[in-house]
Amino acid sequence: MTAEPLERTLDHDGHPGEPTAFPGPRSPSLRAARESDLPELRRLDEEVFQEVAYPAFLLRQLYDMYADHLLVLDEGEGRLRGYVLAATTAVNRDSWILGLCVTRNRRRHGLGRELMTEVLARLRRDGIEQVRLTVEPANRAAILLYHSLGFRPEPPDHGLRPDYFGPGQHRQIMYLRLSRNH
Ligand SMILES: CC(C)(COP(=O)(O)OP(=O)(O)OC[C@H]1O[C@@H](n2cnc3c(N)ncnc32)[C@H](O)[C@@H]1OP(=O)(O)O)[C@@H](O)C(=O)NCCC(=O)NCCS
């Protein structure tokens, strides 16, 4: 499926503004990923997630399946500064956030929130009723972001799932129910 183009430039406060033909290096535009983004997306994913980054073949196939919900922050000249990926399922109109990151030197400018807000809007538009995600229990920044967007720990045990990704790799599961109104 081809990603529908979405070109929205973020203003200085990180809020969506009008599209512009000249996004400067300090004004990343939020748009749907394209096939040609895959090498840079892989580089970014490795930069942020290192040994737990997606292998190239998996990233490729995630793009093949979920391009509609794979959004990137494009700083121009082929540089991506962040991405979010949501995977959807027709069963229960369910979805999972499978990736979210902003490159280190662009954090705390509202970009992570912009990525999440836009992907949640798209999921809602597409009739998805629930979003879930896993987060490292010590990842305070991500947990605060998700909490501020309405995500809550999924029962039981406050969402805590020991050894979820293998021995010692604990995760917390958070969920958000989507409605058409908010
Ligand atoms: C999580 C991440 C995407 C946030 O991106 P960001 O652009 O820095 O986030 P924003 O500037 O939009 O911040 C949104 C909210 O997140 C929380 N937050 C983000 N960074 C924080 C930090 N270092 N400390 C405390 N809270 C933080 C705050 O609640 C913030 O809202 P506020 O600015 O109104 O206080 C980014 O830190 C990141 O890429 N981390 C590494 C990858 C990662 O952990 N991904 C999530 C995997 S589950």
Side-chain angles (χ1 to χ4, degrees):
M1 190 181 294
T2 309
E4 118 193 15
L6 166 73
E7 298 280 359
R8 292 194 312 128
T9 302
L10 305 177
D11 67 20
H12 299 302
D13 297 325
H15 299 301
E18 292 304 311
T20 171
F22 306 104
R26 291 185 161 275
S27 55
S29 62
L30 179 58
R31 63 168 172 80
R34 305 171 185 132
E35 190 174 355
S36 58
D37 289 324
L38 285 171
E40 170 67 0
L41 197 54
R42 165 103 174 110
R43 185 207 60 73
L44 172 66
D45 198 49
E46 260 196 322
E47 174 195 302
V48 175
F49 292 107
Q50 301 177 13
E51 70 278 2
V52 291
Y54 286 122
F57 79 90
L58 183 55
L59 202 54
R60 161 85 230 187
Q61 298 250 258
L62 289 170
Y63 170 82
D64 291 337
M65 290 186 70
Y66 305 118
D68 278 354
H69 300 117
L70 175 53
L71 308 177
V72 296
L73 288 169
D74 183 349
E75 207 173 59
E77 296 172 12
R79 288 187 308 261
L80 300 184
R81 294 306 185 214
Y83 83 89
V84 64
L85 166 66
T88 54
T89 161
V91 182
N92 299 331
R93 298 179 178 272
D94 207 353
S95 66
W96 285 82
I97 301 295
L98 294 187
L100 169 71
C101 74
V102 171
T103 197
R104 190 173 290 279
N105 63 358
R106 297 293 186 279
R107 290 180 193 162
R108 300 309 314 256
H109 289 93
L111 296 175
R113 187 183 296 284
E114 286 293 339
L115 284 166
M116 282 300 298
T117 302
E118 182 60 34
V119 85
L120 292 177
R122 286 184 158 224
L123 292 170
R124 192 177 286 112
R125 178 201 69 189
D126 294 344
I128 300 298
E129 293 173 356
Q130 174 172 265
V131 193
R132 286 190 280 170
L133 56 84
T134 73
V135 60
E136 233 182 300
N139 190 343
R140 189 167 165 268
I143 290 172
L144 286 172
L145 168 59
Y146 298 139
H147 196 271
S148 74
L149 291 165
F151 284 84
R152 296 293 178 264
E154 184 177 75
D157 302 327
H158 204 63
L160 294 175
R161 304 289 183 267
D163 304 322
Y164 189 78
F165 284 138
Q169 297 190 59
H170 316 315
R171 288 294 183 275
Q172 182 174 30
I173 297 187
M174 301 182 80
Y175 76 99
L176 172 70
R177 299 224 189 282
L178 296 177
S179 74
R180 294 235 170 227
N181 302 326
H182 50 76

